[in-house]
Amino acid sequence: MKKRALCTLLVMVIGLTQIIPAYAATIPELKQQLADTQNQLNAISGQVYGLEGQKDAVEEEIDELDGTLVQLMGSISLLEEEIEDKKAEIVQAQDELDKAIAREEAQYQAMKMRIKFMYEKGNSSYAQLLFESKSLGDMINKAEYIEKLYAYDRKMLLSYQETRQQVADLKERLEEEKSELEAEEFELKEEEAALEEALEAKRAEAENYEVQIAQIQQSAAAYKALIKQQTAQIKQLEAEEAARRAKEEAERKAREEAERKKKEQNNKDKGSDNSDKGTTTPKPGGSASADVLSLINSASGSSKGKEVASFACRFIGNPYVPGGTSLTNGADCSGFTQAVYREFGISIPRNSSSQRSCGTGVSYADAQPGDLICYAGHVGMYIGNGYIVHASTQRTGIKITPATYKEILAVRRVL
């Protein structure tokens, strides 16, 4: 299992080194690589979680085996105490048996002594004792005495023999119980050895899981470092891209401003009408209205939209008045667009945020003359070829401006 874990780690490390690009990758490519690396890290995290679960299960088994082993050792200890008690009981029973045998032997020797004594006195021993009786009563008494003597000897001998047998049976029973306890102790010790062997195997298995988890965590740390590196690289490239775009935008605005000033100077030099003051539309060779009409008519779109756009441009140069809705006396941005559409029987909301929701939304690429171009807090009317007419500020009034002079939020078509 350890060899398999090492091989897995080696494959992960090789795969990790292959992730790092050997060329200048683009931001989308780096983001894809970052996503791949994150997926691999997630997979590794899942492996760690799975291994930790298996390790926990093994540790639970170890705890159960430990508990069983402790109980088993307690049982063995109690058995050993019982065996020692049985040994003491057997010693005591043996002592009682020896005493019973001694008492039996003593009674037996006493009987033999009496029999020998009577035998040595001759055949007249008991008979003579009876014949020497002075009376029948005396004879009967002596006969009863002899009978009692025999009965006593027999009773005592049988009692001692019975006691001896009981003690011998007790000793044998204790020996059997001791043998059973020793057999049970042997079996428990064999079970203890098997449990200890199983414990060692489970502990080794748990240690192996720890090794695998540590190795995979090392790979996870490498993936985390790579994610950090890729993220930093993406941020750097994005910052560089943002700086490049900002520079291009600044250059574009500078060019437009220079062009505007140049055109204003050209207009002044040509004696342009003051009503066109403030426009940013090119006015080559003719009046502003002619230039504007040419700008509108050259754009793609409906004739109705071009008519509305042409009408709106007739009020270029009129003042910007906050809250105003007059095309001649002054209007703000939404008041201007509302007043233009009103002239064509079209009703739209009063403020710029509401106008951002009227009509139908289209993309800026599909914008046509007469469409509303909506910005944050501002609105104008598209006249084609990238320009709008709008009530700009109190300083400049109603004028023409490039449609992309700030971020476009929506393009709405109401015609």
Side-chain angles (χ1 to χ4, degrees), residues 263-326:
K263 289 173 182 178
E264 286 181 351
Q265 186 62 42
N266 289 337
N267 290 336
K268 289 179 181 179
D269 294 341
K270 294 178 181 179
S272 300
D273 194 302
N274 288 334
S275 63
D276 295 328
K277 191 174 182 180
T279 182
T280 58
T281 4
K283 298 183 276 297
S287 65
S289 59
D291 294 339
V292 169
L293 289 175
S294 174
L295 186 70
I296 295 171
N297 292 327
S298 64
S300 61
S302 68
S303 58
K304 186 67 173 178
K306 292 179 181 181
E307 182 182 357
V308 172
S310 298
F311 175 78
C313 291
R314 289 164 57 181
F315 304 98
I316 292 172
N318 285 351
Y320 175 100
V321 176
T325 58
S326 172

Side-chain angles (χ1 to χ4, degrees), residues 241-251:
E241 179 67 15
R244 183 186 64 78
R245 290 180 180 176
K247 181 180 178 182
E248 290 178 352
E249 181 66 14
E251 291 175 350

Side-chain angles (χ1 to χ4, degrees), residues 305-349:
K306 292 179 181 181
E307 182 182 357
V308 172
S310 298
F311 175 78
C313 291
R314 289 164 57 181
F315 304 98
I316 292 172
N318 285 351
Y320 175 100
V321 176
T325 58
S326 172
L327 296 174
T328 55
N329 296 326
D332 58 17
C333 64
S334 57
F336 171 70
T337 53
Q338 184 188 49
V340 170
Y341 280 115
R342 186 169 56 240
E343 291 295 323
F344 292 86
I346 299 170
S347 177
I348 63 173

